[in-house]
Coordinates of all heavy atoms in Angstrom, one line a residue:
R1 N -9.8 -37.3 12.6 CA -10.8 -36.2 12.7 C -10.2 -34.8 13.2 O -10.4 -33.8 12.8 CB -11.9 -36.6 13.5 CG -13.1 -35.5 13.6 CD -14.2 -35.9 14.5 NE -15.0 -36.9 13.7 CZ -15.9 -37.7 14.1 NH1 -16.3 -37.5 15.4 NH2 -16.5 -38.6 13.4
D2 N -9.3 -35.0 14.3 CA -8.6 -34.0 14.7 C -7.6 -33.3 13.6 O -7.5 -32.1 13.7 CB -7.7 -34.3 16.0 CG -8.6 -34.8 17.2 OD1 -9.7 -34.3 17.3 OD2 -8.0 -35.5 18.0
L3 N -6.9 -34.1 13.1 CA -6.0 -33.6 11.9 C -6.9 -32.9 10.9 O -6.4 -31.8 10.3 CB -5.2 -34.8 11.3 CG -4.3 -35.4 12.3 CD1 -3.6 -36.6 11.6 CD2 -3.2 -34.4 12.8
A4 N -8.0 -33.3 10.5 CA -8.8 -32.7 9.5 C -9.3 -31.3 10.0 O -9.3 -30.4 9.3 CB -10.1 -33.5 9.0
R5 N -9.7 -31.3 11.2 CA -10.0 -30.0 11.9 C -8.9 -29.0 11.8 O -9.1 -27.7 11.5 CB -10.6 -30.1 13.2 CG -11.8 -30.8 13.4 CD -12.4 -30.8 14.8 NE -13.7 -31.4 14.9 CZ -14.0 -32.1 16.0 NH1 -13.4 -32.1 17.0 NH2 -15.2 -32.7 16.0
L6 N -7.6 -29.4 12.2 CA -6.5 -28.5 12.2 C -6.3 -28.0 10.8 O -5.9 -26.9 10.6 CB -5.4 -29.3 12.8 CG -5.4 -29.5 14.2 CD1 -4.3 -30.3 14.7 CD2 -5.4 -28.3 15.1
R7 N -6.3 -29.0 9.8 CA -6.1 -28.5 8.5 C -7.1 -27.6 7.9 O -6.8 -26.5 7.3 CB -6.1 -29.8 7.6 CG -5.5 -29.5 6.2 CD -5.6 -30.7 5.2 NE -5.0 -31.9 5.9 CZ -5.5 -33.1 6.2 NH1 -6.8 -33.3 5.8 NH2 -4.9 -34.0 6.7
N8 N -8.4 -27.9 8.3 CA -9.4 -26.9 7.9 C -9.2 -25.5 8.5 O -9.4 -24.4 7.9 CB -10.8 -27.4 8.2 CG -11.2 -28.5 7.3 OD1 -10.6 -28.8 6.3 ND2 -12.2 -29.4 7.8
R9 N -8.8 -25.6 9.7 CA -8.6 -24.2 10.4 C -7.5 -23.4 9.8 O -7.5 -22.2 9.6 CB -8.2 -24.4 11.9 CG -8.3 -23.2 12.8 CD -8.1 -23.6 14.2 NE -9.2 -24.4 14.7 CZ -9.3 -25.0 15.8 NH1 -8.2 -25.0 16.6 NH2 -10.4 -25.7 16.2
R10 N -6.4 -24.1 9.4 CA -5.3 -23.5 8.8 C -5.7 -23.0 7.4 O -5.3 -21.8 7.1 CB -4.1 -24.6 8.7 CG -3.3 -24.7 9.9 CD -2.1 -25.5 9.6 NE -1.7 -26.3 10.8 CZ -1.3 -27.5 10.8 NH1 -1.1 -28.1 9.6 NH2 -1.0 -28.0 11.9
V11 N -6.5 -23.7 6.7 CA -6.9 -23.4 5.3 C -7.8 -22.1 5.5 O -7.6 -21.1 4.7 CB -7.6 -24.4 4.5 CG1 -8.3 -23.9 3.5 CG2 -6.6 -25.5 4.3
V12 N -8.7 -22.0 6.3 CA -9.6 -20.9 6.5 C -8.8 -19.7 7.0 O -8.9 -18.7 6.4 CB -10.6 -21.2 7.5 CG1 -11.4 -20.0 7.9 CG2 -11.7 -22.2 7.0
A13 N -7.8 -19.8 7.9 CA -6.9 -18.7 8.3 C -6.1 -18.2 7.2 O -6.0 -17.0 7.0 CB -6.1 -19.2 9.5
T14 N -5.6 -19.1 6.3 CA -4.7 -18.7 5.2 C -5.6 -18.0 4.2 O -5.1 -16.8 3.7 CB -4.0 -20.0 4.6 OG1 -3.3 -20.6 5.6 CG2 -3.1 -19.5 3.5
I15 N -6.7 -18.3 3.9 CA -7.6 -17.7 2.9 C -8.0 -16.3 3.5 O -7.9 -15.4 2.7 CB -8.9 -18.5 2.7 CG1 -8.4 -19.8 1.9 CG2 -9.9 -17.8 1.9 CD1 -9.6 -20.9 1.6
L16 N -8.3 -16.3 4.6 CA -8.7 -15.0 5.2 C -7.5 -13.9 5.2 O -7.7 -12.8 5.0 CB -9.2 -15.0 6.7 CG -10.6 -15.7 6.9 CD1 -10.9 -15.9 8.4 CD2 -11.7 -14.8 6.2
L17 N -6.3 -14.4 5.5 CA -5.1 -13.5 5.5 C -4.8 -13.1 4.0 O -4.5 -11.9 3.8 CB -3.9 -14.3 6.1 CG -3.9 -14.3 7.5 CD1 -2.7 -15.1 8.1 CD2 -3.8 -12.9 8.2
I18 N -4.9 -13.9 3.1 CA -4.7 -13.6 1.7 C -5.8 -12.7 1.1 O -5.5 -11.7 0.5 CB -4.7 -14.9 0.8 CG1 -3.5 -15.8 1.1 CG2 -4.8 -14.5 -0.7 CD1 -3.5 -17.2 0.5
A19 N -7.0 -12.9 1.6 CA -8.1 -11.9 1.2 C -7.9 -10.5 1.8 O -8.0 -9.5 1.1 CB -9.4 -12.5 1.6
L20 N -7.4 -10.5 3.0 CA -7.2 -9.3 3.7 C -6.0 -8.5 3.0 O -6.1 -7.3 2.7 CB -6.8 -9.5 5.2 CG -6.6 -8.1 6.1 CD1 -7.9 -7.3 6.1 CD2 -6.2 -8.6 7.3
S21 N -4.9 -9.3 2.7 CA -3.9 -8.6 1.9 C -4.2 -8.1 0.7 O -3.8 -7.0 0.3 CB -2.7 -9.7 1.8 OG -2.4 -10.2 3.0
V22 N -5.0 -8.8 -0.1 CA -5.5 -8.5 -1.4 C -6.2 -7.1 -1.3 O -6.1 -6.1 -2.1 CB -6.2 -9.5 -2.2 CG1 -7.0 -9.0 -3.3 CG2 -5.3 -10.6 -2.5
M23 N -7.2 -7.1 -0.4 CA -8.0 -5.8 -0.1 C -7.2 -4.7 0.2 O -7.3 -3.6 -0.3 CB -9.0 -6.1 0.9 CG -10.1 -7.0 0.4 SD -11.6 -7.1 1.6 CE -10.9 -8.1 2.8
V24 N -6.1 -4.8 1.0 CA -5.3 -3.7 1.5 C -4.4 -3.2 0.3 O -4.3 -2.0 0.0 CB -4.3 -4.1 2.6 CG1 -3.2 -3.2 2.8 CG2 -5.2 -4.4 3.9
V25 N -3.9 -4.2 -0.4 CA -3.1 -3.8 -1.7 C -3.9 -3.1 -2.7 O -3.4 -2.1 -3.2 CB -2.3 -5.0 -2.3 CG1 -1.7 -4.6 -3.5 CG2 -1.3 -5.5 -1.3
R26 N -5.1 -3.7 -2.9 CA -6.0 -3.0 -3.9 C -6.4 -1.6 -3.4 O -6.4 -0.7 -4.2 CB -7.3 -3.9 -3.9 CG -8.3 -3.3 -4.9 CD -9.6 -4.1 -4.8 NE -10.7 -3.4 -5.4 CZ -11.4 -2.4 -4.8 NH1 -11.2 -2.1 -3.5 NH2 -12.4 -1.8 -5.3
D27 N -6.6 -1.4 -2.1 CA -7.1 0.0 -1.7 C -5.8 1.0 -1.8 O -6.0 2.1 -2.3 CB -7.4 -0.1 -0.2 CG -7.8 1.1 0.4 OD1 -8.7 1.8 -0.2 OD2 -7.3 1.6 1.4
L28 N -4.6 0.5 -1.5 CA -3.4 1.3 -1.8 C -3.2 1.7 -3.3 O -2.9 2.8 -3.5 CB -2.1 0.6 -1.2 CG -2.1 0.5 0.3 CD1 -1.0 -0.4 0.7 CD2 -2.1 1.8 0.9
L29 N -3.4 0.7 -4.1 CA -3.2 1.0 -5.6 C -4.3 1.9 -6.0 O -4.0 2.8 -6.8 CB -3.2 -0.4 -6.4 CG -2.1 -1.3 -6.1 CD1 -2.3 -2.6 -6.8 CD2 -0.8 -0.7 -6.5
V30 N -5.6 1.7 -5.7 CA -6.7 2.6 -6.1 C -6.3 4.0 -5.6 O -6.5 5.0 -6.3 CB -8.0 2.1 -5.6 CG1 -9.1 3.1 -5.8 CG2 -8.3 0.9 -6.4
R31 N -5.8 4.2 -4.4 CA -5.6 5.5 -3.9 C -4.4 6.2 -4.5 O -4.5 7.3 -4.7 CB -5.4 5.5 -2.3 CG -6.6 5.1 -1.5 CD -6.2 5.1 -0.2 NE -7.4 4.6 0.7 CZ -7.9 5.3 1.7 NH1 -7.4 6.4 2.0 NH2 -8.9 4.8 2.3
R32 N -3.5 5.3 -4.9 CA -2.3 6.0 -5.5 C -2.5 6.2 -7.0 O -2.1 7.3 -7.4 CB -1.1 5.0 -5.4 CG 0.2 5.3 -6.1 CD 0.8 6.4 -5.4 NE 2.0 6.8 -6.0 CZ 2.2 7.6 -7.0 NH1 1.3 8.2 -7.5 NH2 3.5 7.9 -7.5
W33 N -3.1 5.3 -7.8 CA -3.2 5.6 -9.1 C -4.7 5.6 -9.6 O -5.0 5.6 -10.8 CB -2.6 4.5 -9.9 CG -1.1 4.6 -9.9 CD1 -0.3 5.5 -10.4 CD2 -0.2 3.6 -9.1 NE1 1.0 5.2 -10.1 CE2 1.1 4.1 -9.3 CE3 -0.3 2.4 -8.4 CZ2 2.3 3.5 -8.8 CZ3 0.7 1.8 -7.9 CH2 2.0 2.4 -8.0
G34 N -5.5 5.9 -8.6 CA -6.9 6.0 -9.0 C -7.3 7.3 -9.6 O -6.4 8.2 -9.9
P35 N -8.6 7.6 -9.9 CA -9.0 8.9 -10.5 C -8.6 10.1 -9.5 O -8.5 9.9 -8.3 CB -10.5 8.9 -10.5 CG -10.9 7.5 -9.9 CD -9.7 6.8 -9.6
G36 N -8.4 11.2 -10.2 CA -7.8 12.3 -9.4 C -8.8 13.2 -8.6 O -8.6 14.4 -8.4
R37 N -9.9 12.6 -8.1 CA -10.8 13.4 -7.3 C -10.2 13.6 -5.9 O -9.5 12.8 -5.5 CB -12.2 12.6 -7.3 CG -12.1 11.4 -6.6 CD -13.5 10.7 -6.6 NE -13.3 9.4 -6.0 CZ -14.2 8.8 -5.2 NH1 -15.3 9.5 -4.9 NH2 -13.9 7.6 -4.7
A38 N -10.8 14.6 -5.4 CA -10.3 15.0 -3.9 C -10.9 14.0 -3.0 O -12.0 13.6 -3.1 CB -10.7 16.4 -3.6
A39 N -10.1 13.7 -2.0 CA -10.6 12.8 -0.8 C -11.7 13.5 -0.1 O -11.7 14.7 0.1 CB -9.6 12.4 0.1
A40 N -12.7 12.8 0.5 CA -13.7 13.3 1.2 C -13.2 13.6 2.7 O -12.4 13.0 3.1 CB -14.9 12.3 1.4
P41 N -13.6 14.8 3.1 CA -13.1 15.2 4.4 C -13.5 14.3 5.7 O -14.7 13.7 5.4 CB -13.7 16.6 4.7 CG -14.9 16.7 3.8 CD -14.6 15.7 2.5
D42 N -12.7 14.1 6.6 CA -13.2 13.2 7.7 C -14.0 13.9 8.7 O -14.7 13.1 9.4 CB -11.9 12.9 8.5 CG -11.0 11.9 7.5 OD1 -11.4 11.3 6.6 OD2 -9.7 11.8 7.8
V43 N -14.1 15.2 8.7 CA -14.9 15.8 9.7 C -15.9 16.7 8.9 O -15.7 17.4 7.9 CB -13.9 16.8 10.5 CG1 -14.9 17.5 11.6 CG2 -13.0 16.0 11.2
T44 N -17.2 16.6 9.4 CA -18.2 17.5 8.7 C -18.0 18.9 9.3 O -17.8 19.2 10.5 CB -19.6 17.0 9.0 OG1 -19.7 16.9 10.5 CG2 -19.6 15.5 8.4
R45 N -18.3 19.9 8.6 CA -18.2 21.3 8.9 C -19.7 21.8 9.0 O -20.4 21.6 8.2 CB -17.4 22.2 7.9 CG -16.0 21.6 7.8 CD -15.2 22.5 6.9 NE -13.9 21.9 6.8 CZ -13.2 22.1 5.7 NH1 -13.6 22.9 4.7 NH2 -12.0 21.6 5.6

């Protein structure tokens, strides 16, 4: 039971890290090669 819990914890952590990596890379690719619209300002005027 202890070994199964450790394995499950490792699998969940690995899946979360892979998902986070995919989202970061996707965001970078979309910003680099996405549509040429201007970025929204960070501060309201």
